[in-house]
Structures are given as structure tokens and as C-alpha cells.
Amino acid sequence: MLRTIWNQTVSKFLDAKQQRLIVHDIDIRRWAMVANKSVGCERFRASRTWVAAFKEANGIVSRKITRFVTRSSIDNETELMASAETFVVDARRFLWSFGTSHVKNSDQSGFNRELHTGRTLDFKGVKNVQAQVQQISATTHSYTIMPIVSASGVLEPFMLVVIQEPSGDFGPRVKQGLFQAPNLVVRASKSGKMEKRHLVDFYREVFFPTAGGRTALLVDSWPAFTDATLLEEANLYDKEVEFAIIPAGTTGLIQPFDVYGFRPWKCFFRHIQDQVVLHDLPVVLHQRNSIIKLQSLALNQFCAPRFVPMWRYGWKKAGYLDEAADHEKLGEFLTPVQFCFTGQESIAADECFECEGEPLLHFITCSWCKRCLCFEHFFVDFHYHSEATDFEQ
């Protein structure tokens, strides 16, 4: 009898989870009591103890909901998965005729002006866990970055950044005071999101300068990418570009930057900005020049050869790389946070390499030269590597 109740309750729970339904302990108790009506076990009450044992035996725990979906989106999930798989199969045949170095992915990602982790250490039992930031509104107002990565694992050295401005553009005085990052093309919009007009600048100043004579560009289904006039206006180099447009709704499954790329990028920013607040370092995170300077330094750090396997992993996880056919094993790799902040070398180093006299607290290990730097020598003095020969294995 009890086995029948147990099995029917498990079946109900599985059905609910397949439909992405919200389930609580009371629902498990009700399913169990309904199941008991068919077997008639008089002493069974679906007690809290029974529910706890049921959850533990089936590996069921309370989890934070990370995304809400509608019934229609669930119904379309199978169709989207099939569309994604078909696209990847077809794209692999098309893309690899270019060679991995000439197959590139570009995507937009929004960053809050202040980006912090959602967890912190605190004492057990504390109910109201608060965390200090520099400005509350900066944790919701965002800007956009648009980098490029090749299937060979090379992150391109230039990137577009679109910053939110009330007027939709930088005024003359603001332009004059902007930090001039050597690897960023900085533009503005009212929303902080990329607009169609910015795509010409992206093509002209970010994409084409590093593109080969013939390149395949993997992008999402934003209609601006299919506007040939924008490409013609920007193509001053007479280069050939073939677009592979990812089907709408599938970018989270098969776009390399979405699958694995922006996640370590944002983890890097969360770590830095947490440390800035923790140690009360001399920078206002949400100001334009701080955003530009930090994104410039981050892109430069991420371009170090040691992160090539990480960028290739995004292509592999999305399904485009076949190691057997590609003859290159990705192997294990360290993310930027692991190498620059939490790796053994970084933890062991407590003094800045560049400081004279009494050294300041170690802040970051450079992914190029492996030097341990304080915040002043990394951020304030703008520790930037422009030559590939700067790399130390």
C-alpha cells in the first residue's frame, strides 16, 4: 500500500516539474492523501515526517526560481530545441569551410553600472541580510557591450560599449572628458541599449579592422543584422562577410557568448566591484570613465592567450566544435576570476609588484605578465598590455 502511495506521489511530482509548476510541501501531502484513497491505508496521514523522508529519498529541496515561463513557451520548447539542433548541424557544414580563425560570434550583453554578487557570508540564523553598494540606482541602470570571439578561441582586441545618457548622446564637454580607451569604441543611447545606428560603428571600427578577407559571422536574429545597407556603408575594406543568423529563441542554447562567455565576464566584474566596496577603494563605479576604464582593462585581460581554451569552450558547449574533427583538446582551464583573484598564486601573493617603499595590498594577478598588482597600479595607472610578447606562460 505505502509503495503505491509513494510511486503515485513521485509521478505527480515529475509531471508538475515537467510543466514547470511551483510545488510546496503541502502539495506533496495532498497528492499522497489522494493516492491513499485508492489503496485505503487507514493509518496513513502524510505527516511532515513522511514528507521530509519523501523529499530526502528523491533528492527534492527548495530552490530559488531563476526564471518565470508561460505555458506557451513550455509547449514551444521542443520545437525550439529541434530548431537549434538543426541550425547547429547545418551551420557546422557551412562555417568550417572558412576555418576556425575566420568564424566569429558577436553578441550584446547588458551590464549594470554596479554589478555585485547575490550572496555573502553572514552569521547563521540572520534573516535580514543587507549589502552595501555605492549607489542603489546603479544596480538597475545598465549599459551594453558587444565583443567578438573566434571559433579558434581568440577574443578580438576591440569592442563596442554603449552607455546610457539622458539625451541619447554625449555632449561636447562630456566627450572632451571621456577616458580614451585604446580598445573600446564608446557610444551612447537613452536606454543604454544598442541601436541600429551603432551597428555601422561596430562594423567599421570593431569588426572589419580585424576581420580577414572572408569571414563568417554568427549573430542572433536582431533585424538590423539583415540590413545590407548598414554593412555596405561600413565596409570600407572591401571584405566578404557571410552571416549565420541564429533562430529566434535559441540563443541561450547555441550562441557561444550566451552559452559560456558572458558568465565569466560578469563574474570578473562582480568580484572587482565587491572588492572596491569592501576595501573602500578610490573609484566611483557607476561613473562613465570608471565603466569605460574597467571594461577596457577587463577586455585586455581576457585577450591573454591563457584564456583561449575558455573561449573555445563556449563554441564546444554550443555544439559547433567537434574535438575529434578539430584535432585540439580543450583540456582544463582557469577562468579570469580563478587566475586573477582566487588561484593559489593570487592568494599567496599579498604585496604589489610595482609598489616602491611599503607595498600596498595585492588586488589582482595580471593574466599577461603574471605580476601581482595593487588597485592603484592596476586600475588607476591603467595596467594595459598591447603586445603579444608581453605574455608570460
Side-chain angles (χ1 to χ4, degrees):
M1 292 184 184
L2 292 178
R3 175 54 59 185
T4 300
I5 295 172
W6 185 281
N7 290 342
Q8 288 186 21
T9 306
V10 168
S11 179
K12 283 288 188 181
F13 183 82
L14 290 175
D15 287 344
K17 289 295 91 185
Q18 286 178 353
Q19 297 178 61
R20 312 294 195 273
L21 299 175
I22 298 173
V23 179
H24 299 291
D25 286 10
I26 186 63
D27 302 302
I28 292 176
R29 295 185 69 185
R30 285 170 177 158
W31 289 331
M33 292 303 292
V34 170
N36 185 40
K37 290 181 179 180
S38 64
V39 296
C41 183
E42 294 182 1
R43 294 186 177 182
F44 181 75
R45 293 292 181 269
S47 65
R48 288 187 174 87
T49 303
W50 184 89
V51 171
F54 176 87
K55 288 163 61 180
E56 183 176 0
N58 290 284
I60 299 170
V61 295
S62 178
R63 300 288 292 172
K64 180 181 177 181
I65 297 171
T66 57
R67 183 186 175 196
F68 289 99
V69 295
T70 62
R71 184 181 295 274
S72 60
S73 66
I74 296 171
D75 294 339
N76 292 335
E77 187 172 308
T78 302
E79 184 179 336
L80 288 175
M81 288 289 291
S83 175
E85 290 174 4
T86 301
F87 176 83
V88 170
V89 171
D90 293 341
R92 282 175 62 170
R93 298 194 194 102
F94 163 70
L95 294 174
W96 300 142
S97 64
F98 291 80
T100 55
S101 296
H102 300 287
V103 176
K104 302 184 180 185
N105 173 226
S106 187
D107 189 25
Q108 306 168 46
S109 183
F111 278 65
N112 290 338
R113 286 175 175 262
E114 274 196 63
L115 193 63
H116 296 280
T117 54
R119 306 185 73 87
T120 181
L121 295 178
D122 210 327
F123 292 104
K124 186 176 181 180
V126 172
K127 301 297 183 183
N128 185 21
V129 180
Q130 299 183 357
Q132 182 185 145
V133 296
Q134 289 186 344
Q135 189 178 70
I136 295 295
S137 63
T139 62
T140 56
H141 288 68
S142 63
Y143 60 94
T144 302
I145 69 169
M146 190 169 181
I148 305 172
V149 66
S150 73
S152 60
V154 175
L155 183 67
E156 298 298 339
F158 302 105
M159 179 175 76
L160 177 71
V161 177
V162 180
I163 296 177
Q164 185 180 29
E165 291 291 323
S167 65
D169 208 346
F170 298 121
R173 293 182 64 183
V174 172
K175 279 184 179 179
Q176 189 175 6
L178 282 181
F179 179 78
Q180 299 301 307
N183 55 350
L184 300 184
V185 174
V186 182
R187 297 294 183 264
S189 72
K190 287 185 177 180
S191 64
K193 293 181 172 64
M194 188 172 170
E195 298 174 355
K196 194 173 180 180
R197 61 191 172 99
H198 298 129
L199 194 54
V200 174
D201 295 328
F202 169 77
Y203 287 143
R204 182 181 294 152
E205 301 182 50
V206 178
F207 174 68
F208 279 123
T210 59
R214 183 170 177 263
T215 305
L217 185 59
L218 184 70
V219 292
D220 60 31
S221 57
W222 186 32
F225 286 124
T226 60
D227 189 338
T229 59
L230 297 178
L231 190 66
E232 291 172 3
E233 182 182 346
N235 192 359
L236 307 178
Y237 305 87
D238 196 26
K239 295 180 178 180
E240 181 183 345
V241 184
E242 294 283 348
F243 285 90
I245 307 295
I246 298 172
T250 66
T251 54
L253 301 171
I254 57 174
Q255 175 140 247
F257 265 126
D258 281 346
V259 171
Y260 195 87
F262 288 133
R263 179 181 176 184
W265 202 307
K266 290 184 177 182
C267 285
F268 186 87
F269 266 70
R270 289 188 181 100
H271 187 94
I272 285 183
Q273 298 193 356
D274 285 351
Q275 293 299 303
V276 166
V277 175
L278 177 65
H279 298 291
D280 195 22
L281 297 174
V283 58
V284 181
L285 294 169
H286 55 269
Q287 289 183 343
R288 298 182 196 91
N289 282 348
S290 298
I291 291 169
I292 294 169
K293 202 170 186 180
L294 190 52
Q295 282 290 355
S296 176
L297 287 169
L299 176 62
N300 185 241
Q301 289 292 306
F302 299 162
C303 285
R306 72 178 72 258
F307 297 131
V308 165
M310 182 188 77
W311 296 117
R312 280 174 56 80
Y313 178 70
W315 289 87
K316 178 181 180 295
K317 193 173 181 183
Y320 299 101
L321 283 185
D322 182 348
E323 288 183 355
D326 201 46
H327 303 297
E328 285 188 40
K329 299 292 183 181
L330 295 183
E332 295 183 359
F333 57 81
L334 294 178
T335 66
V337 166
Q338 290 170 332
F339 180 84
C340 297
F341 301 116
T342 64
Q344 194 58 44
E345 289 185 32
S346 295
I347 294 174
D350 57 0
E351 296 181 351
C352 175
F353 180 88
E354 298 286 353
C355 284
E356 297 179 359
E358 185 176 347
L360 297 176
L361 181 70
H362 164 255
F363 179 75
I364 188 172
T365 300
C366 176
S367 60
W368 285 90
C369 62
K370 297 181 71 174
R371 290 181 176 180
C372 299
L373 303 168
C374 65
F375 182 77
E376 181 175 341
H377 281 105
F378 174 69
F379 182 83
V380 179
D381 291 351
F382 195 66
H383 183 80
Y384 187 89
H385 289 270
S386 57
E387 300 293 336
T389 53
D390 293 344
F391 181 66
E392 183 177 336
Q393 190 66 42

